Amino acid sequence: GEQKWDYLYSADAADALYRMACHGRSGAVYPVGSGTARPLREYIETLRDAIDLSLPLGLGKIPYGPQQVMFLQAENAKANQLSQ
């Protein structure tokens, strides 16, 4: 759960895809994310808390693999410039 990853709400992802389709340039790359990376543990705890506070998380039981991505954050400035 130490990894820092960037997630966003599904409605925000849909809005970004819509704006890319309507106003984007063919062949351009538009990274999409919230623009803020948080520890994966926080996302997991939020989901667990919504289901059952007593559920064990099991974080740390399996060691990270050699290719584990520890930081994943979108640089979404280009996507944010598309007309809304």
Side-chain angles (χ1 to χ4, degrees):
E2 299 168 319
Q3 310 93 315
K4 290 190 177 182
W5 288 0
D6 178 358
Y7 287 99
L8 73 160
Y9 290 104
S10 58
D12 294 336
D15 179 61
L17 293 171
Y18 176 78
R19 287 188 286 129
M20 283 183 252
C22 292
H23 305 287
R25 198 179 77 244
S26 179
V29 175
Y30 299 97
V32 176
S34 70
T36 303
R38 293 176 26 208
L40 189 56
R41 170 186 284 277
E42 290 181 15
Y43 296 108
I44 294 169
E45 288 172 344
T46 298
L47 290 171
R48 186 266 325 264
D49 294 353
I51 298 167
D52 183 345
L53 291 170
S54 68
L55 290 175
L57 295 178
L59 294 169
K61 289 190 176 191
I62 299 173
Y64 295 127
Q67 301 296 317
Q68 175 63 52
V69 175
M70 295 302 290
F71 186 81
L72 183 63
Q73 180 175 324
E75 171 47 63
N76 56 6
K78 196 171 179 183
N80 288 339
Q81 292 174 352
L82 295 174
S83 297
Q84 292 190 19

